[in-house]
Amino acid sequence: MSEIIPYTVEHRADTGLYNAKMGVWLFLASEVMLFGALFSSYILLRVGAIQWPHGWTLLNVPLATFNTFLLMTSSVSMVMAWVSLKLNDFKKFKLYQGITILLALAFLGVKSIEYRGEFHEQMFPQTNTFLAIYFTLTGLHALHILGGIVVNSYNWGLGSRMWTADPQRFTNRVEVAGIYWHFVDFVWIFLFPILYLS
Amino acid sequence: MQEISSQNIKQEVRKHLLIYGLLLFLTAINFTVSKLSLLGEQTVFIVLSVAFVQGVLIACYFMHLISEKKLIHFVLILTLIFFLGLLLLPVLEFWGNIFGTVHVS
């Protein structure tokens, strides 16, 4: 017996949206509160500290700037992947989605180089409060990047079989994955100045 | 999200590339400002303001919030209120405005 999942393509009358889109926005609302709690902790630690180091004196700003560039570029390629599906160009979707995944992997690669340099300089989460919140925030963000890579890779590989059977549903899947991916970029936009530039 | 037809696709792509260029430009501004030690404590305010503009651009154009349904806007406004409360509470607590200070002897 096969059960059909409702509202994967057509919009619900009450929300005016397909379910996955409503779902991803509710999920992102909870994500805002998760990161919000950590930003709140950051403020509390910073205003309560007698001394607070400038991020740029401890951390590798050029590498972080390069990572910002990578993440912004991946956001554009993610949009292009979705646009390609809207234009029924599956080959271009594969190309742009592949670029997005590679850029995300490059982000994690650069981040690991950065972490290695910090560990080499004897900078660990237990070293001081600034580094504790720095590793917590960037570590959690990196886990979100990893999650995005898993979802985008599935859509690029095995999951892309859906394109032949149900192209509209697949396009919606990519759109929802894209919204999540832009949110990851959005969080980094604030992490970068708070931790590295101030 | 706004439906895209093949007629206006070039316009959409151009718009996204423009936003991308703007985001990179703003990142460059932030990077430069952080290097100017003359600005001192004002640096925090400037870099966060620039980040806020970048965040708005990403949310409005990449996440297409600008053309999203009102229900999504409602959910996000509610989230924003709680988020701001979350940020404000520790600051108010620190200043002793609402809870006061507890001294343990």
Side-chain angles (χ1 to χ4, degrees):
Chain A
M1 193 178 91
S2 66
E3 288 184 27
I4 297 167
I5 302 170
Y7 305 112
T8 52
V9 174
E10 70 277 19
H11 293 182
R12 281 179 68 108
D14 49 2
T15 61
L17 301 158
Y18 60 90
N19 277 353
K21 190 186 261 190
M22 188 67 214
V24 81
W25 278 110
L26 288 174
F27 170 66
L28 292 185
S30 74
E31 288 282 274
V32 168
M33 297 314 286
L34 171 66
F35 279 100
L38 288 170
F39 279 123
S40 180
S41 305
Y42 172 88
I43 293 170
L44 187 65
L45 292 171
R46 184 162 183 164
V47 296
I50 298 163
Q51 274 189 323
W52 191 261
H54 293 293
W56 40 267
T57 58
L58 296 173
L59 307 172
N60 194 328
V61 179
L63 274 187
T65 309
F66 181 61
N67 254 351
T68 308
F69 166 74
L70 289 178
L71 217 50
M72 283 175 179
T73 310
S74 76
S75 260
V76 175
S77 60
M78 189 77 215
V79 170
M80 297 302 286
W82 174 72
V83 165
S84 302
L85 289 181
K86 283 281 183 188
L87 291 170
N88 290 317
D89 194 339
F90 188 67
K91 276 186 180 174
K92 273 198 174 167
F93 157 76
K94 281 274 197 180
L95 173 72
Y96 286 122
Q97 186 79 323
I99 290 171
T100 307
I101 295 162
L102 287 177
L103 288 168
L105 286 170
F107 179 94
L108 288 184
V110 171
K111 196 74 213 154
S112 64
I113 291 168
E114 209 186 321
Y115 276 166
R116 202 173 61 175
E118 283 148 10
F119 295 150
H120 186 72
E121 298 282 325
Q122 300 299 309
M123 295 196 294
F124 299 102
Q126 69 267 29
T127 307
N128 60 42
T129 316
F130 170 76
L131 289 173
I133 196 77
Y134 159 77
F135 280 111
T136 307
L137 279 165
T138 54
L140 184 68
H141 181 263
L143 282 177
H144 280 74
I145 295 275
L146 198 61
I149 290 171
V150 170
V151 173
N152 286 337
S153 298
Y154 178 74
N155 283 341
W156 183 82
L158 278 177
S160 67
R161 289 175 187 168
M162 187 187 269
W163 174 252
T164 46
D166 196 347
Q168 186 54 52
R169 188 176 172 191
F170 182 66
T171 307
N172 286 350
R173 273 192 178 182
V174 171
E175 182 185 10
V176 164
I179 291 171
Y180 168 80
W181 191 249
H182 300 312
F183 174 77
V184 174
D185 188 13
F186 180 85
V187 171
W188 180 256
I189 286 296
F190 287 96
L191 286 184
F192 177 56
I194 285 172
L195 295 172
Y196 291 85
L197 304 181
S198 61
Chain B
M1 198 180 281
Q2 200 175 12
E3 289 301 319
I4 296 178
S5 65
S6 48
Q7 282 83 11
N8 64 12
I9 193 69
K10 277 185 182 175
Q11 248 183 337
E12 278 293 316
V13 170
R14 204 177 298 139
K15 189 172 76 184
H16 282 108
L17 290 176
L18 188 74
I19 298 296
Y20 172 62
L22 204 56
L23 286 170
L24 290 183
F25 175 69
L26 289 170
T27 304
I29 287 181
N30 255 356
F31 182 76
T32 311
V33 166
S34 73
K35 291 281 174 194
L36 300 173
S37 52
L38 289 171
L39 293 168
E41 287 305 310
Q42 287 174 325
T43 308
V44 181
F45 178 75
I46 295 169
V47 295
L48 283 180
S49 303
V50 173
F52 178 77
V53 175
Q54 287 179 302
V56 168
L57 287 174
I58 289 174
C60 286
Y61 293 99
F62 284 179
M63 298 171 95
H64 296 102
L65 263 184
I66 210 158
S67 57
E68 203 48 273
K69 297 271 187 236
K70 278 183 181 168
L71 181 66
I72 300 289
H73 292 158
F74 173 74
V75 168
L76 292 180
I77 287 168
L78 204 62
T79 309
L80 188 69
I81 291 167
F82 282 106
F83 175 74
L84 290 175
L86 206 58
L87 292 189
L88 208 60
L89 274 174
V91 178
L92 292 177
E93 207 285 331
F94 180 75
W95 289 336
N97 281 351
I98 52 171
F99 297 121
T101 309
V102 177
H103 295 283
V104 180
S105 56

